[in-house]
Short mmCIF file of all heavy atoms in Angstrom, two decimals:
data_model
loop_
_atom_site.label_atom_id
_atom_site.label_comp_id
_atom_site.label_asym_id
_atom_site.label_seq_id
_atom_site.Cartn_x
_atom_site.Cartn_y
_atom_site.Cartn_z
N LYS A 10 -1.34 2.62 -9.03
CA LYS A 10 -1.27 3.80 -8.28
C LYS A 10 -0.81 4.93 -9.01
O LYS A 10 -1.33 6.15 -9.07
CB LYS A 10 -0.35 3.54 -7.08
CG LYS A 10 -0.23 4.76 -6.03
CD LYS A 10 0.44 4.39 -4.87
CE LYS A 10 0.91 5.58 -3.99
NZ LYS A 10 1.91 6.38 -4.53
N ARG A 11 0.38 4.77 -9.84
CA ARG A 11 0.73 5.89 -10.66
C ARG A 11 -0.18 6.16 -11.70
O ARG A 11 -0.33 7.37 -12.09
CB ARG A 11 2.15 5.33 -11.34
CG ARG A 11 2.85 6.35 -12.11
CD ARG A 11 3.33 7.54 -11.38
NE ARG A 11 4.02 8.51 -12.08
CZ ARG A 11 4.37 9.77 -11.57
NH1 ARG A 11 4.07 10.04 -10.33
NH2 ARG A 11 4.98 10.62 -12.44
N ALA A 12 -0.90 5.26 -12.24
CA ALA A 12 -2.03 5.68 -13.37
C ALA A 12 -2.99 6.51 -12.72
O ALA A 12 -3.43 7.48 -13.34
CB ALA A 12 -2.72 4.39 -13.79
N VAL A 13 -3.36 6.30 -11.45
CA VAL A 13 -4.32 7.20 -10.92
C VAL A 13 -3.75 8.67 -10.50
O VAL A 13 -4.31 9.69 -10.71
CB VAL A 13 -4.99 6.62 -9.54
CG1 VAL A 13 -6.05 7.63 -8.94
CG2 VAL A 13 -5.60 5.24 -9.84
N GLN A 14 -2.43 8.60 -10.01
CA GLN A 14 -1.85 9.91 -9.83
C GLN A 14 -1.72 10.63 -11.01
O GLN A 14 -1.91 12.01 -10.91
CB GLN A 14 -0.24 9.43 -9.27
CG GLN A 14 -0.24 9.04 -7.91
CD GLN A 14 1.15 8.79 -7.40
OE1 GLN A 14 1.53 7.62 -7.17
NE2 GLN A 14 1.91 9.69 -7.31
N THR A 15 -1.36 10.05 -12.17
CA THR A 15 -1.25 10.86 -13.38
C THR A 15 -2.55 11.15 -14.20
O THR A 15 -2.48 11.60 -15.37
CB THR A 15 -0.13 10.19 -14.30
OG1 THR A 15 -0.65 8.77 -14.54
CG2 THR A 15 1.21 10.09 -13.57
N GLY A 16 -3.71 10.65 -13.66
CA GLY A 16 -4.88 10.94 -14.37
C GLY A 16 -5.18 9.88 -15.45
O GLY A 16 -6.15 10.23 -16.29
N GLN A 17 -4.56 8.82 -15.49
CA GLN A 17 -4.82 7.73 -16.54
C GLN A 17 -5.99 6.98 -16.26
O GLN A 17 -6.67 6.42 -17.02
CB GLN A 17 -3.63 6.96 -16.87
CG GLN A 17 -2.51 7.66 -17.34
CD GLN A 17 -1.19 6.78 -17.51
OE1 GLN A 17 -1.23 5.82 -18.31
NE2 GLN A 17 -0.29 7.04 -16.64
N ALA A 18 -6.28 6.90 -14.93
CA ALA A 18 -7.52 6.32 -14.38
C ALA A 18 -7.99 7.29 -13.27
O ALA A 18 -7.08 7.89 -12.61
CB ALA A 18 -7.34 4.89 -13.91
N GLN A 19 -9.27 7.38 -12.93
CA GLN A 19 -9.75 8.27 -11.80
C GLN A 19 -9.54 7.68 -10.43
O GLN A 19 -9.36 8.30 -9.34
CB GLN A 19 -11.05 8.72 -12.13
CG GLN A 19 -11.24 9.69 -13.36
CD GLN A 19 -11.51 8.77 -14.50
OE1 GLN A 19 -11.49 7.53 -14.54
NE2 GLN A 19 -11.98 9.45 -15.62
N MET A 20 -9.81 6.19 -10.43
CA MET A 20 -9.80 5.61 -9.20
C MET A 20 -8.93 4.32 -9.27
O MET A 20 -8.72 3.93 -10.44
CB MET A 20 -11.16 5.14 -8.75
CG MET A 20 -12.07 6.29 -8.12
SD MET A 20 -13.71 5.52 -7.59
CE MET A 20 -14.48 7.01 -6.91
N GLY A 21 -8.49 3.82 -8.17
CA GLY A 21 -7.75 2.51 -8.28
C GLY A 21 -7.85 1.85 -7.01
O GLY A 21 -7.99 2.43 -5.96
N GLU A 22 -7.50 0.50 -6.91
CA GLU A 22 -7.25 -0.28 -5.74
C GLU A 22 -5.89 -1.00 -5.94
O GLU A 22 -5.60 -1.64 -6.79
CB GLU A 22 -8.40 -1.24 -5.62
CG GLU A 22 -8.24 -2.12 -4.35
CD GLU A 22 -8.90 -3.35 -4.39
OE1 GLU A 22 -8.68 -4.18 -5.34
OE2 GLU A 22 -9.73 -3.77 -3.53
N VAL A 23 -5.22 -0.90 -4.85
CA VAL A 23 -3.80 -1.68 -4.89
C VAL A 23 -3.65 -2.24 -3.47
O VAL A 23 -4.06 -1.76 -2.50
CB VAL A 23 -2.71 -0.79 -5.18
CG1 VAL A 23 -2.79 -0.15 -6.61
CG2 VAL A 23 -2.40 0.29 -4.06
N LEU A 24 -2.81 -3.40 -3.45
CA LEU A 24 -2.18 -3.87 -2.34
C LEU A 24 -1.18 -2.85 -1.85
O LEU A 24 -0.07 -2.70 -2.54
CB LEU A 24 -1.58 -5.15 -2.46
CG LEU A 24 -0.92 -5.85 -1.29
CD1 LEU A 24 -1.94 -6.26 -0.19
CD2 LEU A 24 -0.06 -7.09 -1.82
N ILE A 25 -1.37 -2.06 -0.83
CA ILE A 25 -0.58 -0.80 -0.63
C ILE A 25 0.93 -1.22 -0.31
O ILE A 25 1.78 -0.32 -0.56
CB ILE A 25 -1.24 0.07 0.43
CG1 ILE A 25 -0.53 1.46 0.54
CG2 ILE A 25 -1.08 -0.57 1.81
CD1 ILE A 25 -0.63 2.17 -0.96
N SER A 26 1.15 -2.35 0.30
CA SER A 26 2.42 -2.68 0.57
C SER A 26 3.53 -2.86 -0.55
O SER A 26 4.64 -2.75 -0.24
CB SER A 26 2.57 -3.97 1.49
OG SER A 26 2.08 -4.97 0.70
N ILE A 27 3.01 -2.92 -1.78
CA ILE A 27 3.85 -3.10 -2.91
C ILE A 27 4.50 -1.71 -3.12
O ILE A 27 5.49 -1.74 -3.89
CB ILE A 27 3.22 -3.48 -4.13
CG1 ILE A 27 2.16 -2.52 -4.66
CG2 ILE A 27 2.58 -4.92 -3.87
CD1 ILE A 27 1.49 -2.97 -6.00
N HIS A 28 4.05 -0.78 -2.38
CA HIS A 28 4.67 0.64 -2.76
C HIS A 28 5.47 1.09 -1.45
O HIS A 28 5.80 2.26 -1.22
CB HIS A 28 3.53 1.59 -3.03
CG HIS A 28 2.86 1.34 -4.29
ND1 HIS A 28 3.45 1.48 -5.46
CD2 HIS A 28 1.63 0.95 -4.50
CE1 HIS A 28 2.63 1.23 -6.45
NE2 HIS A 28 1.54 0.83 -6.01
N GLU A 29 5.95 0.07 -0.63
CA GLU A 29 6.64 0.41 0.53
C GLU A 29 8.03 1.18 0.36
O GLU A 29 8.49 2.05 1.07
CB GLU A 29 6.94 -0.81 1.36
CG GLU A 29 7.69 -0.55 2.67
CD GLU A 29 7.95 -1.78 3.55
OE1 GLU A 29 7.46 -2.77 3.12
OE2 GLU A 29 8.71 -1.70 4.50
N ASN A 30 8.46 1.00 -0.93
CA ASN A 30 9.78 1.76 -1.40
C ASN A 30 9.59 3.20 -1.44
O ASN A 30 10.48 3.83 -1.26
CB ASN A 30 10.35 1.12 -2.64
CG ASN A 30 11.04 -0.08 -2.53
OD1 ASN A 30 11.72 -0.42 -1.54
ND2 ASN A 30 10.98 -0.94 -3.56
N GLU A 31 8.29 3.59 -1.52
CA GLU A 31 7.95 5.02 -1.72
C GLU A 31 7.85 5.65 -0.31
O GLU A 31 8.43 6.74 -0.03
CB GLU A 31 6.60 5.24 -2.27
CG GLU A 31 6.46 4.89 -3.79
CD GLU A 31 5.14 5.07 -4.29
OE1 GLU A 31 4.50 5.88 -3.72
OE2 GLU A 31 4.69 4.47 -5.33
N ASP A 32 7.42 4.86 0.74
CA ASP A 32 7.27 5.43 2.10
C ASP A 32 7.13 4.14 3.02
O ASP A 32 6.35 3.36 2.64
CB ASP A 32 6.22 6.23 2.12
CG ASP A 32 6.26 7.10 3.58
OD1 ASP A 32 6.24 6.50 4.64
OD2 ASP A 32 6.20 8.35 3.40
N PRO A 33 7.91 3.97 4.12
CA PRO A 33 7.79 2.81 4.89
C PRO A 33 6.26 2.67 5.49
O PRO A 33 5.80 1.57 5.73
CB PRO A 33 8.68 3.22 6.09
CG PRO A 33 9.71 4.08 5.51
CD PRO A 33 8.94 4.87 4.45
N ILE A 34 5.60 3.83 5.61
CA ILE A 34 4.17 3.80 6.18
C ILE A 34 3.40 2.86 5.31
O ILE A 34 2.41 2.16 5.76
CB ILE A 34 3.55 5.10 6.21
CG1 ILE A 34 2.31 5.15 7.03
CG2 ILE A 34 3.18 5.81 4.85
CD1 ILE A 34 2.54 4.79 8.49
N PHE A 35 3.56 2.70 4.01
CA PHE A 35 2.90 1.82 3.23
C PHE A 35 3.02 0.25 3.46
O PHE A 35 2.36 -0.69 3.13
CB PHE A 35 3.09 1.96 1.67
CG PHE A 35 2.67 3.38 1.17
CD1 PHE A 35 3.25 3.87 0.14
CD2 PHE A 35 1.50 3.97 1.68
CE1 PHE A 35 2.84 5.25 -0.32
CE2 PHE A 35 1.06 5.17 1.27
CZ PHE A 35 1.82 5.77 0.19
N GLY A 36 4.12 -0.01 4.23
CA GLY A 36 4.56 -1.48 4.48
C GLY A 36 4.20 -1.84 5.83
O GLY A 36 4.54 -3.03 6.29
N LEU A 37 3.66 -0.86 6.77
CA LEU A 37 3.49 -1.41 8.24
C LEU A 37 2.71 -2.66 8.32
O LEU A 37 3.05 -3.39 9.16
CB LEU A 37 2.92 -0.20 9.01
CG LEU A 37 2.61 -0.49 10.36
CD1 LEU A 37 3.98 -0.95 11.06
CD2 LEU A 37 2.19 0.76 11.09
N ASP A 38 1.66 -2.79 7.61
CA ASP A 38 0.66 -3.98 7.92
C ASP A 38 1.38 -5.26 7.38
O ASP A 38 0.75 -6.34 7.66
CB ASP A 38 -0.68 -3.64 7.25
CG ASP A 38 -0.70 -3.45 5.71
OD1 ASP A 38 0.41 -3.66 5.13
OD2 ASP A 38 -1.57 -3.15 5.09
N VAL A 39 2.44 -5.26 6.80
CA VAL A 39 3.00 -6.56 6.38
C VAL A 39 4.32 -6.89 7.16
O VAL A 39 5.05 -7.76 6.81
CB VAL A 39 3.29 -6.64 4.80
CG1 VAL A 39 2.03 -6.67 4.04
CG2 VAL A 39 4.24 -5.64 4.40
N VAL A 40 4.46 -6.08 8.20
CA VAL A 40 5.56 -6.57 9.19
C VAL A 40 5.10 -7.65 9.96
O VAL A 40 4.13 -7.49 10.63
CB VAL A 40 5.91 -5.33 10.13
CG1 VAL A 40 7.22 -5.84 11.05
CG2 VAL A 40 6.39 -4.06 9.28
N PRO A 41 5.68 -8.80 9.76
CA PRO A 41 5.31 -10.02 10.43
C PRO A 41 4.98 -9.88 11.93
O PRO A 41 5.78 -9.36 12.69
CB PRO A 41 6.45 -11.13 10.16
CG PRO A 41 7.06 -10.51 8.98
CD PRO A 41 6.95 -9.07 9.07
N PHE A 42 3.75 -10.39 12.36
CA PHE A 42 3.44 -10.47 13.67
C PHE A 42 3.19 -9.29 14.44
O PHE A 42 3.09 -9.28 15.70
CB PHE A 42 4.40 -11.50 14.48
CG PHE A 42 4.60 -12.88 13.78
CD1 PHE A 42 5.77 -13.02 13.08
CD2 PHE A 42 3.51 -13.75 13.71
CE1 PHE A 42 5.93 -14.25 12.49
CE2 PHE A 42 3.70 -14.96 13.13
CZ PHE A 42 4.97 -15.19 12.49
N VAL A 43 3.09 -8.18 13.78
CA VAL A 43 2.64 -6.91 14.51
C VAL A 43 1.17 -6.96 14.66
O VAL A 43 0.74 -6.70 15.71
CB VAL A 43 3.05 -5.62 13.62
CG1 VAL A 43 2.37 -4.45 14.11
CG2 VAL A 43 4.54 -5.47 13.63
N ALA A 44 0.34 -7.41 13.67
CA ALA A 44 -0.98 -7.56 13.83
C ALA A 44 -1.38 -8.70 12.97
O ALA A 44 -1.27 -8.92 11.84
CB ALA A 44 -1.68 -6.33 13.14
N THR A 45 -1.90 -9.79 13.76
CA THR A 45 -2.16 -11.05 13.09
C THR A 45 -3.62 -11.55 13.30
O THR A 45 -3.94 -12.53 12.72
CB THR A 45 -1.35 -12.18 13.85
OG1 THR A 45 -1.69 -12.16 15.25
CG2 THR A 45 0.17 -11.80 13.79
N SER A 46 -4.41 -10.72 13.85
CA SER A 46 -5.98 -11.04 13.84
C SER A 46 -6.73 -9.83 13.22
O SER A 46 -6.08 -8.71 13.17
CB SER A 46 -6.44 -11.27 15.25
OG SER A 46 -6.39 -10.02 16.12
N PHE A 47 -8.02 -10.10 12.83
CA PHE A 47 -8.71 -8.90 12.23
C PHE A 47 -8.92 -7.72 13.30
O PHE A 47 -8.66 -6.65 12.87
CB PHE A 47 -9.93 -9.43 11.79
CG PHE A 47 -9.98 -10.18 10.46
CD1 PHE A 47 -10.06 -11.60 10.44
CD2 PHE A 47 -9.60 -9.61 9.33
CE1 PHE A 47 -9.87 -12.31 9.26
CE2 PHE A 47 -9.41 -10.33 8.13
CZ PHE A 47 -9.51 -11.67 8.18
N PRO A 48 -9.14 -8.03 14.57
CA PRO A 48 -9.20 -6.96 15.44
C PRO A 48 -7.98 -6.18 15.63
O PRO A 48 -7.81 -5.02 15.66
CB PRO A 48 -9.58 -7.62 16.82
CG PRO A 48 -10.35 -8.90 16.50
CD PRO A 48 -9.62 -9.28 15.18
#
């Protein structure tokens, strides 16, 4: 993520929850049992 922010790569893909320390919004989908099915 930082590499794309700083222009070391133009695109990137990350498991966004690893950046929850930056903002809680990035970690919502890994709060247990909030959403447990694909729908």
Side-chain angles (χ1 to χ4, degrees):
K10 180 171 171 290
R11 184 64 180 169
V13 180
Q14 286 178 246
T15 56
Q17 296 172 71
Q19 294 91 348
M20 286 183 178
E22 181 207 49
V23 299
L24 179 71
I25 194 58
S26 64
I27 68 175
H28 296 292
E29 184 177 351
N30 280 327
E31 296 177 20
D32 194 302
I34 192 61
F35 291 151
L37 177 55
D38 60 11
V39 296
V40 178
F42 305 109
V43 170
T45 61
S46 68
F47 286 108

